Every structure is written in structure tokens, then in C-alpha cells.
Amino acid sequence: MTFTQSPWSLTDLFSSHDSPEMKAAFDEIDGMVVESEALRPSLSPSMPQEAFLDAIRLLEAISRLANRIVDFAGLGFAADTQDQVIQAFQSDVESRMAIIANRTLFFSLWWKSLEDIEAERLMTGSGDYRYWLEEIRHFKPHTLTEPEEKIINIKDVTGSAAINNLYAMITNRYTFHIEVDGESKELTRGELMVYARHYDPALRAAAYQELYRVYGQDAPILGQMYQTLVRDWHNENLDLRHFRSPLAVRNLSNDIPDDVVDTLLGVCQDNISVFQRFFRLKARWLQLEQLRRYDIYAPVIKTEKKYDFAAAADMVFEAFHRFDPRIANLAQRVLDQNHLDSEVRRGKMSGAFCATVAPEITPWVLVNYQEKPDDVATLAHELGHAIHSQLAADHSLFTFHSSLPLAETASTFGEMLLVDHLLRTESDASVRQTMLFRQVDDAYATVMRQAYFAMFERQAHELVQQGATVDELSNVYLENLHNQFGDAVEVSDEFRWEWVSIPHIYQTPFYVYAYTFGQLLVLSLYKQFKIEGEAFKPRYLSLLSAGGSKSPEKILSDAGIDMHNAGFWQGGMDVIRGLVEQLETIPLAK
Ligand SMILES: [Zn+2]
């Protein structure tokens, strides 16, 4: 079968934004919202089970239709970000959906207000909805009275949310200037950071120096914003809502026990020498005495190899098929139904993603395929996401989507299947070596870098409470980098401002450890696959099929994995060490 490239088709959702079907969908959703509001008075702790389920099914139907409309707009925008008609449609959809969300909010508020014993009775017969219902109630012990919650909501708009908006506004306006081939360029951050992976060491250094020159200039303001957000986090979550620690707030929304995160971060700290060893190896490849922080993503091998799209698709499907024909078929469905947009086009959104609309609809995948080995890996990654949601299609709309810590499982695993396939079949040694280096580069960026961000956050939240200044926080950050890199990497002073350039630590405190969790989980699973072979496959497939219908802890323990056990996480680290050892055996060909 020869696969070709074309823009995707959205007709499985709607024929167009102004079609009669779209109008009918809006009417239908309005009708259902009115119907659900009418059910409101019948909600009571003693209501019949069937009526309770009917109310949930109605909410599910509303969400399903809302998803179809929202994703039609979002995918249309991604396919052509310059299309003003779709832009206008998208903002109209957004405001209509916000109203719908407000009008249906009463259900979760009521559900949280029930006593445990009352909720338990209703949950007993709730089947696949159960975990979704449980999750809403997780926040009950930390929920305040309705008037208090309202005050927090109102004050957040002009408080923490406003500070986050200001942070985004200030930093998104930044422009960066560097000289490339004698020509002065004005760049966005994204464009600038391309040079962090450039062959030229002077350009790599210039890119980072310019990045932190600009952020450093505003550091007193940006640092003050961070301190304010951290204090707000503490005041609200520890003083008012009685969480045990700043980190525990995030752990509850991820539904990951506190001790698991401590174990995970501890294993990272214990294995820091693996990456330091990799950085020393990289220095040798780059013929440097010592690697500079500027060089950690430097390419070490030049590869000219290109794969046309048909060859790439064949490779990905072959790699998947070898593992299990079922997953290859699910990936192929995305192409067969014309749900993949892979070509590079003017106005099309950059990057790559997989969009899952509802369990019964094949997901849509966007990539910008440019024939490099990296692009093949990205294709495998995004199709992996599509496999994951299709495997979980038997669940409800509320429970088929995997939770954040497990969301990258099938994608990263799919990428590893592809890399393995390439290492086995590709005769060009430069491609094989590029893929190996890429894997460890990615593991650093996803596992270790994020773990150390989380450790910095933990420390910073404590220090801000003790009145630390912005300069003191920067010193602590620099120390964090020195602990991370040891004597393997020279860290120059401007990196003290790196933390004020990380939006995640502002907008979603402690979000970053989910990356560490996800990537180490997959590496560890991959190790089990290598050891167990066939016996591993059904356990892995049922882990994916669970979607988000159970807690991450339960999903993993059903697959025989104890996330409390440091040994499990160490298994992931062992895979990285194995890759580094493999790289160490390659003779330096210069
Ligand atoms: Zn992904």
C-alpha cells in the first residue's frame, strides 16, 4: 500500500462551519442544556439510581456534541491559522461553550456536596462513570463554602489569573537578536531556540546568551510575579484549603499519591551520574574539554538521510505490526479515513498533535512531515496517541481519555518501537547513531530536566514563604543546575535566569513532574517488554485500553506495576544507562 499526503478531511464532524448540520447541532445542544437544567430540582441524595444515570448520560451527550463543534473549529484553525472565517467561528464557539459550561456546572457542585455514604449508594451502580464521579469528589475535603468559593473565583480573575496574563503578555512580546552568517536577525523565542541545536558552537552560545539577556533584564519583575503566585498558591491551598504541602495540590489533581512523587524524584537524583556520563561522552564527540550548558542539545552526527512520506508510513506501520497487528490497524485507520494532515503548508499550525474528539470517532493527527529521521519518530509518536484513545473506545466520553501521568504512554512507546525497528533495519550507521543520541537527548529533556525543575519549585515555594528575594531564588536555581550537571557541564552565570523563562512553573505549579513520570514509566515498560516478550503484550494493551476509567495507580497495579516501588522507576533509568553504554562503544569517527 502506498501512502500519500493530503490535507485532512473534517467531514466526519461537519461539512462546514455554516452548514445546516452545524446549526442543528447548536440547536440540539441548547435543547439538551434546557433539559438538564429542568432535571436540577430532582437531584437529591435519595434519587433513584436510574434517574441519576440519566442525568449523567444527558451531560455526556452535551459534552459529546460540544466536543464535535469545538474540535471542528480547533482543527479547522490548525489546518489554516490565517483563515479569518474559521477564527471568527472559533471565538464564537468559545464564548457559547463557556455559557454552556456555566449552565451545567450545578451537577458537579451538587455531587461534591453529598455525604460519602449518599454518594457511595449512587456510585454503586454507575458502572464506567464511577472513576469520573470519584474524581470530582476528591476535592471535597478541600472545597470551601459556596460563597467562599465564589469570592476566590472573583478575586482570582484580577489576582493570580491577571498576573499570569501579564507574564504571558510581557514575555510573548520579547524579540531576540542574533547574528547569523553576518546578518542580524530578529527572532521569536521559538525561532531563536532552533539555534540551540545548531552545528555551530558559537551560534548555540549566542542563542542562549540572547535568551537570558532579554529575560534577565526583566528578571526583577518576572521574579516578583513568581513570588506573588507562589504566595497566592500557599495562602489559598495550604491556609484555606488545608493541603499538606504545595506539591500535594498537584498530586491530587493527577491522582498520584505524595510518596510516589517523592520516590520518583529521589530515583532521578540518585541517577544523575547517568546523564553526566552522557554529557562527558558528548564532549568527546564534539572535541571539547568540557561540555558547556550551551551544547547539551548539540547535534553530534551529520546525517543526510531522508525518508519520503510513503517510506516513513511503511516503516511506522511495520514497526507497529511487528509488535501487534491490532495496533498497526488502529494507526492505519487514521490514514484510511483521511484524518492525518502531514504536509507542510503555509498558514498550517507548526508542530504536531493528536486530537481525540469522542470514543467512537477516529482521532485526527497533525504533523509537519519534512523527511528527516526525527519526523518519522514524530509520526510514530502522534499515531501512538491515536492508538491509545482507540483502544480505550469502549469507555464513556468521561473516562476514555487517559489522565495526565499516563497520557504519553502509547505515544512514547510507539516512538520506541520505531527507533528499535530503525536500529534493526537501517543500514546507514549515521541514522542509527542519530536516533540513539536523540533518545538520550529527549530523555534528558523530559526526565531529568523536568525532575530538577520540580525540585526547584519545591525549594522555591518553601523559600518564598521564608521571605527569599529574587536574587536569592536565582542563586538557589544556579545551585540546582550545578547539582544537576556536576563537573560534566560548565554552566555560565546567565542561566540563573532560566527559571523566570519557564511558563509552566508560573501557570501550573508542579506540572513538570508529569513529564518525568510519563517518560520513565514508558522506559520501564519497554524494559519489561524486552525481557518478557509476548507475555508482556496483553498486559500492556489492557493498560492502554483502561484509558482514564481508573486511577493511574489502579491501572498500573492491574498491569503488575507498583508505582510506589523505586525499583520500577530504576528500571526506566537502566534503559537510559544502557543507551549511554551503547553510545560509548561507537568509535569516534572524525
Ligand atoms: Zn505526545
Side-chain angles (χ1 to χ4, degrees), residues 55 97 113 174 213 216 224 285 348 350 359 374 378 418 421 429 469 477 484-486 579 589:
M97 291 305 158
S113 75
Y174 289 159
R213 182 189 67 79
Q224 173 87 45
W285 277 81
K348 176 177 158 178
S350 60
D374 250 13
T378 304
L418 186 263
H421 180 73
T469 64
Y477 186 72
Q484 199 178 146
F485 294 117
L579 291 170

Side-chain angles (χ1 to χ4, degrees), residues 31 36 73 246:
S36 91

Side-chain angles (χ1 to χ4, degrees), residues 352-354 381-382 385 407-408 411-412 415:
F353 65 77
C354 170
H381 181 103
E382 299 307 333
H385 280 300
E408 294 296 334
S411 54
T412 314
E415 216 177 311

Side-chain angles (χ1 to χ4, degrees), residues 397-522:
L397 185 75
F398 296 144
T399 49
F400 84 114
H401 229 298
S402 72
S403 64
L404 179 66
L406 299 184
E408 294 296 334
T409 312
S411 54
T412 314
F413 199 88
E415 216 177 311
M416 297 196 65
L417 289 174
L418 186 263
V419 171
D420 247 16
H421 180 73
L422 255 178
L423 293 177
R424 217 174 27 241
T425 56
E426 176 58 65
S427 55
D428 184 336
S430 73
V431 175
R432 294 199 305 270
Q433 292 163 6
T434 303
M435 292 315 263
L436 280 176
F437 270 108
R438 178 186 189 272
Q439 274 198 297
V440 187
D441 280 350
D442 278 2
Y444 169 71
T446 319
V447 176
M448 211 43 106
R449 181 168 144 86
Q450 309 298 331
Y452 273 77
F453 281 150
M455 290 182 230
F456 169 71
E457 285 190 89
R458 204 157 56 177
Q459 227 180 339
H461 276 253
E462 212 178 289
L463 290 170
V464 168
Q465 245 4 76
Q466 295 162 13
T469 64
V470 173
D471 277 332
E472 280 162 348
L473 291 175
S474 293
N475 289 335
V476 167
Y477 186 72
L478 213 47
E479 204 179 287
N480 170 294
L481 291 179
H482 288 307
N483 291 336
Q484 199 178 146
F485 294 117
D487 60 8
V489 179
E490 182 208 339
V491 180
S492 37
D493 197 65
E494 70 270 18
F495 282 90
R496 64 167 58 246
W497 299 124
E498 185 177 18
W499 61 283
V500 302
S501 77
I502 308 296
H504 268 138
I505 71 169
Y506 284 75
Q507 286 154 9
T508 324
F510 304 104
Y511 179 93
V512 291
Y513 81 72
Y515 291 118
T516 310
F517 186 106
Q519 179 90 13
L520 266 191
L521 166 71
V522 173

Side-chain angles (χ1 to χ4, degrees), residues 314-415:
D314 278 343
M315 256 158 49
V316 172
F317 291 131
E318 239 177 274
F320 287 176
H321 193 89
R322 242 183 99 96
F323 181 79
D324 189 305
R326 209 150 48 110
I327 69 160
N329 291 339
L330 292 175
Q332 199 172 323
R333 206 185 274 177
V334 176
L335 277 76
D336 291 346
Q337 298 185 10
N338 201 9
H339 284 201
L340 172 73
D341 196 325
S342 61
E343 61 183 17
V344 178
R345 268 196 320 275
R346 236 190 131 97
K348 176 177 158 178
M349 189 174 275
S350 60
F353 65 77
C354 170
T356 293
V357 181
E360 69 282 2
I361 310 175
T362 304
W364 275 264
V365 168
L366 179 143
V367 295
N368 282 276
Y369 189 74
Q370 290 178 287
E371 306 198 329
K372 294 190 305 298
D374 250 13
D375 296 320
V376 189
T378 304
L379 183 64
H381 181 103
E382 299 307 333
L383 288 173
H385 280 300
I387 291 166
H388 197 167
S389 51
Q390 291 180 83
L391 279 172
D394 288 341
H395 298 287
S396 77
L397 185 75
F398 296 144
T399 49
F400 84 114
H401 229 298
S402 72
S403 64
L404 179 66
L406 299 184
E408 294 296 334
T409 312
S411 54
T412 314
F413 199 88
E415 216 177 311

Side-chain angles (χ1 to χ4, degrees), residues 16 30 56 66 116 123 142 207 214 239 247 281 283 318 343 357 367 408 410 422 428 447 451 489 523 587:
S16 81
D30 282 340
I56 296 176
D116 284 350
M123 275 196 291
H142 305 286
V214 172
D239 294 350
L247 182 57
L281 167 81
E318 239 177 274
E343 61 183 17
V357 181
V367 295
E408 294 296 334
L422 255 178
D428 184 336
V447 176
V489 179
L523 290 166

Side-chain angles (χ1 to χ4, degrees), residues 17 83-94:
H17 75 282
D83 182 340
Q84 298 198 358
V85 175
I86 208 72
Q87 273 178 27
F89 177 67
Q90 198 181 21
S91 28
D92 180 46
V93 167
E94 270 169 22

